């Protein structure tokens, strides 16, 4: 529950904003967003008040998984610009005191990466072992029972060399062999390339998958597999035991971290799931692994439920060692939009206050600041391999649609007459940045107020967290405190008003309500929260 000290680093004090470059702003007229588009929107991001931008992959890629299939770790796909544009982006962001975090995809490359082309060219090629190749099982089938996250087996047979290669995502995403020292060195070199270009941190894709069981044993069946799983959903039918989160993975994490630590002030963020006791190990025993293992616990499998949210935060706080800094993610390019998932705009507003007032680094997904909702994608427009293979209802395209900038054609994302790579939300005429900038109580202005308050308030960006037991059901109340600055956050998750009595506190002042219509002194023994209202209170 204690903060780690006064001198916080940028990735502790700051707020991260995730940009999915394909969908942010197109400046070239091809319907796909690009890095120049990000540069053009830096002033917007600066005014919004975020501190670091995480860019999803912009590397050269055949786009089988929209950039998570990397064909060159040290370049920019012409769709997005070039290295010179990237350098301009870093400089322009740094001029505004914003950091740049890039996605790094170390578990798999594209099947068009020269390394894989070499590897598959013959069993004798020196880079054969840079990927994971195995002989067929005695019946000629795949070497084990692992399934791909995107459906089908995790193995594809290569006729030319008579072996299978491993891929836990698309067949176009062969997995790198981190047990091979040359591959490891080559991948660390790719980090060096970007570190020397001034990148401030990395978001490391599926980092728990790097090391697999040495014997590649079969995974056990999943006793809780839903009977409704698609026939090709082999992944859902097994427990993920031998394909991820192996103890040896931590050796690699420490090596990656030591490599980053040779550079000043850089940050390692990892995409990780799994039970809390396994997840927390990724901070390292002495804080020598990831700075921030992404925490998805308020997102994955979480309903709009005050008690469950509090339990999740408290469990996290209880398990963190003193050196470990918490973080929270509510949405990203793989999950439903907040307003869609949690019930509607009213819930998304309370969620924004939650995200931006908890102890730890928040990550905001682009478009959440205007409350973007899932966009229904007609079947013929589905692009995501997960949706194409496992059913349109599972497509992640719904949360990757173009940013809604204004009411002009294509929401200002791309030029009129250009077809955006995914459809723009039907209601973009009313639901966009320009309208919300003009509307005082808009979601955008709520985010701006929250971000401004957070940045200006040590208790909020760096103070302690203490949950408060209250007698009103459906409410989550907590204190954030730093020396003499004391704040109370009271969130009503219910569709009905609640009266909360805060034990031990008498008076305070509402500084911000998610309804954005009150700033007033309040008595804390009789605090009224309206339906779906969150308030931020400065305590006396
Ligand atoms: C996690 C990424 O967030 C997701 O978008 C991607 O499909 C997989 N990793 C594979 O790289």
């Amino acid at each position: 529950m204690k903060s780690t000290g006064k001198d916080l680093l940028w990735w502790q004090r700051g707020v991260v904003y995730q940009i999915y470059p394909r969908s942010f702003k197109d400046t070239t007229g091809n319907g796909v967003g690009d890095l120049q588009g990000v540069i053009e929107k830096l002033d917007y991001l600066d005014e919004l008040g975020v501190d670091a931008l995480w860019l999803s992959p912009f590397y050269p890629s055949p786009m089988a998984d929209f950039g998570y299939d990397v064909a060159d770790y040290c370049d920019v796909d012409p769709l997005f610009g070039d290295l010179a544009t990237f350098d301009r982006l870093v400089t322009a962001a740094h001029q505004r005191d914003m950091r740049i975090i890039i996605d790094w995809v170390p578990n798999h490359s594209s099947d068009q990466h020269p390394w894989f082309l070499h590897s598959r060219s013959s069993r004798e090629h020196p880079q054969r072992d840079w990927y994971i190749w195995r002989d067929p099982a005695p019946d000629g089938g795949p070497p084990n029972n692992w399934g791909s996250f995107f459906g089908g087996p995790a193995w594809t047979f290569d006729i030319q060399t008579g072996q299978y290669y491993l891929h836990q995502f698309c067949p176009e995403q062969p997995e790198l062999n981190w047990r091979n020292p040359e591959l490891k060195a080559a991948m660390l070199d790719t980090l060096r390339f970007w570190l020397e270009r001034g990148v401030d941190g990395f978001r490391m894709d599926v980092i728990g998958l790097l090391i697999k069981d040495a014997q590649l044993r079969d995974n056990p069946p999943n006793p809780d597999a839903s009977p409704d799983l698609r026939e090709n959903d082999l992944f859902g039918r097994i427990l993920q035991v031998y394909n991820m989160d192996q103890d040896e993975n931590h050796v690699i994490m420490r090596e990656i971290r030591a490599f980053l630590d040779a550079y000043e002030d850089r940050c390692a963020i990892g995409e990780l799931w799994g039970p809390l006791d396994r997840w927390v190990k990724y901070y390292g025993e002495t804080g020598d692994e990831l700075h921030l293992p992404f925490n998805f616990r308020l997102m994955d499998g979480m309903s709009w439920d005050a008690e469950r949210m509090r339990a999740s935060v408290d469990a996290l706080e209880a398990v963190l060692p003193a050196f470990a800094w918490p973080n929270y993610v509510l949405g990203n390019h793989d999950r439903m939009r907040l307003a869609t998932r949690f019930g509607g705009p009213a819930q998304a507003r309370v969620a924004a206050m939650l995200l931006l007032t908890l102890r730890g680094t928040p990550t905001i997904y682009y478009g959440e600041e205007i409350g973007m909702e899932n966009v229904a994608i007609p079947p013929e427009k589905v692009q995501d391999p997960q949706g194409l293979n496992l059913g349109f209802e599972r497509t992640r395209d719904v949360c990757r649609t173009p940013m809604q900038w204004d009411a002009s054609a294509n929401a200002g994302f791309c030029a009129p007459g250009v077809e955006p790579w995914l459809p723009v939300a039907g209601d973009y005429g009313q639901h966009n940045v320009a309208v919300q900038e003009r509307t005082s109580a808009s979601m955008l202005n709520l985010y701006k107020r929250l971000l401004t308050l957070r940045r200006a308030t040590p208790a909020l960006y760096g103070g302690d967290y203490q949950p408060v037991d209250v007698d009103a059901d459906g409410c989550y109340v907590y204190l954030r405190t730093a020396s003499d600055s004391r704040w109370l956050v009271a969130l009503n998750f219910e569709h009905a008003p609640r009266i909360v009595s805060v034990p031990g506190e008498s008076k305070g002042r509402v500084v911000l309500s998610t309804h954005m219509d009150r700033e007033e002194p309040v008595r804390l023994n009789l605090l009224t929260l309206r339906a779906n209202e969150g308030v931020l209170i400065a305590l006396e």
Side-chain angles (χ1 to χ4, degrees):
M1 317 254 167
K2 288 266 179 229
S3 57
T4 52
K6 304 264 170 288
D7 303 318
L8 296 177
L9 299 166
W10 64 268
W11 51 266
Q12 296 176 304
R13 184 191 278 245
V15 175
V16 178
Y17 182 93
Q18 180 191 356
I19 293 178
Y20 196 69
R22 292 184 74 85
S23 303
F24 203 57
K25 170 76 186 160
D26 170 25
T27 63
T28 60
N30 60 2
V32 175
D34 45 62
L35 296 184
Q36 180 59 31
V38 179
I39 295 177
E40 290 181 12
K41 294 298 181 185
L42 282 177
D43 286 338
Y44 165 79
L45 295 163
D46 197 16
E47 270 172 42
L48 177 61
V50 294
D51 304 279
L53 307 179
W54 151 32
L55 304 168
S56 286
F58 49 74
Y59 305 105
S61 167
M63 303 289 165
D65 188 18
F66 296 101
Y68 285 95
D69 48 324
V70 178
D72 182 348
Y73 286 97
C74 300
D75 207 346
V76 173
D77 194 287
L79 258 185
F80 299 120
D82 54 19
L83 282 171
T85 327
F86 180 79
D87 292 342
R88 281 205 306 282
L89 170 57
V90 172
T91 306
H94 286 172
Q95 278 163 355
R96 291 166 176 82
D97 211 15
M98 265 187 265
R99 312 286 173 143
I100 295 288
I101 298 167
I102 65 169
D103 225 301
W104 186 56
V105 191
N107 179 64
H108 43 267
S109 72
S110 158
D111 65 346
Q112 298 307 307
H113 195 296
W115 297 344
F116 188 69
L117 297 177
H118 296 152
S119 182
R120 84 183 310 172
S121 66
S122 93
R123 290 197 190 198
E124 280 69 47
H125 193 283
Q127 283 172 313
R128 179 71 169 181
D129 187 47
W130 285 30
Y131 291 82
I132 299 175
W133 292 97
R134 286 295 181 280
D135 288 335
D139 67 355
N144 67 21
N145 70 349
W146 297 1
S148 156
F149 281 71
F150 294 157
W155 297 92
T156 287
F157 187 63
D158 178 62
I159 297 176
Q160 194 187 323
T161 57
Q163 285 190 311
Y164 282 86
Y165 67 87
L166 179 68
H167 56 83
Q168 297 186 72
F169 296 92
C170 295
E172 294 89 345
Q173 293 169 291
E175 304 218 358
L176 293 158
N177 178 13
W178 275 81
R179 294 178 189 272
N180 180 300
E182 282 152 23
L183 175 276
K184 186 163 68 183
M187 283 305 289
L188 293 180
D189 269 345
T190 69
L191 286 179
R192 189 194 331 272
F193 177 86
W194 295 104
L195 287 165
E196 289 181 358
R197 288 197 113 82
V199 156
D200 301 288
F202 297 92
R203 173 271 187 192
M204 304 179 179
D205 191 63
V206 291
I207 199 75
L209 264 57
L210 290 201
I211 293 285
K212 293 84 167 116
D213 173 49
Q215 300 161 52
L216 297 174
R217 277 171 281 185
D218 272 352
N219 273 327
N222 176 4
D224 301 321
S226 154
D228 302 331
L229 285 181
R230 289 216 155 198
E231 204 177 323
N232 67 345
D233 194 347
L234 308 183
F235 184 89
R237 289 197 174 74
I238 51 172
L239 295 176
Q240 314 305 316
V241 174
Y242 294 115
N243 56 325
M244 60 173 73
D245 191 22
Q246 304 299 295
D247 289 338
E248 294 156 278
N249 213 26
H250 293 278
V251 179
I252 305 280
M253 293 303 107
R254 286 193 287 276
E255 284 174 300
I256 293 173
R257 173 62 182 276
F259 192 85
L260 279 196
D261 281 352
Y263 295 78
E264 216 181 318
D265 216 13
R266 312 300 167 101
C267 174
I269 305 176
E271 186 197 22
L272 277 165
W273 324 278
L276 199 51
D277 58 329
R278 300 285 308 177
W279 171 87
V280 73
K281 290 195 161 70
Y282 282 86
Y283 283 100
E285 270 175 33
T286 57
D288 54 357
E289 296 186 26
L290 296 171
H291 294 106
L292 301 175
F294 259 153
N295 169 28
F296 300 134
R297 284 183 181 72
L298 299 187
M299 175 171 77
D300 287 348
M302 179 57 79
S303 51
W304 188 243
D305 179 319
E307 283 76 17
R308 284 192 62 205
M309 292 268 185
R310 171 181 167 175
S312 174
V313 174
D314 291 358
L316 184 93
E317 287 278 355
V319 90
L320 287 183
F323 58 74
W325 188 253
N327 78 92
Y328 295 92
V329 179
L330 288 189
N332 65 23
H333 63 292
D334 295 330
R335 297 291 184 272
M336 300 216 304
R337 288 283 181 184
L338 260 64
T340 309
R341 176 155 30 99
F342 288 147
Q347 287 73 20
R349 294 175 82 99
V350 178
M353 184 170 274
L354 171 73
L355 177 68
L356 295 173
T357 58
L358 282 172
R359 184 178 86 93
T361 308
T363 299
I364 301 171
Y365 182 48
Y366 86 93
E368 289 299 345
E369 75 274 26
I370 57 166
M372 278 175 65
E373 297 180 21
N374 279 10
V375 175
I377 309 291
E380 69 281 6
K381 296 240 158 109
V382 169
Q383 313 241 7
D384 174 25
Q386 180 170 288
L388 292 173
N389 297 331
L390 287 174
F392 297 145
E393 70 286 357
R394 291 201 42 194
T395 186
R396 298 170 297 177
D397 297 329
V398 293
C399 67
R400 298 176 176 178
T401 58
M403 179 68 177
Q404 295 151 216
W405 293 108
D406 57 40
S408 69
N410 292 326
F413 162 73
C414 59
V418 171
E419 188 180 352
W421 80 283
L422 282 175
V424 182
D427 66 348
Y428 79 84
Q430 306 82 48
H431 195 167
N432 61 59
V433 170
V435 164
Q436 294 204 10
E437 278 174 341
R438 297 193 297 267
T439 311
S440 56
S442 65
M443 180 76 96
L444 181 59
N445 283 320
L446 174 64
Y447 266 86
K448 284 187 182 173
R449 282 280 286 140
L450 282 164
L451 286 161
T452 307
L453 277 166
R454 183 183 172 98
R455 192 180 267 175
T457 312
L460 293 180
Y461 66 70
D464 298 343
Y465 160 88
Q466 184 67 51
V468 178
D469 293 327
V470 291
D471 43 12
D473 66 304
C475 293
Y476 178 16
V477 180
Y478 47 95
L479 287 166
R480 298 297 320 280
T481 55
S483 49
D484 55 353
S485 152
R486 301 175 64 252
W487 292 71
L488 185 89
V489 183
L491 309 172
N492 179 8
F493 281 55
E494 300 299 313
H495 292 294
R498 288 285 182 272
I499 294 176
V500 175
S501 168
V502 183
E505 302 289 343
S506 57
K507 283 192 282 179
R509 188 168 49 85
V510 174
V511 174
L512 180 64
S513 155
T514 51
H515 295 198
M516 294 189 83
D517 59 355
R518 62 162 162 158
E519 288 177 40
E520 59 190 11
V522 277
R523 295 206 160 274
L524 295 170
N525 59 349
L526 213 64
L527 172 66
T528 304
L529 296 174
R530 289 166 289 171
N532 306 306
E533 184 184 29
V535 290
L536 185 51
I537 295 173
L539 295 176
E540 285 176 9

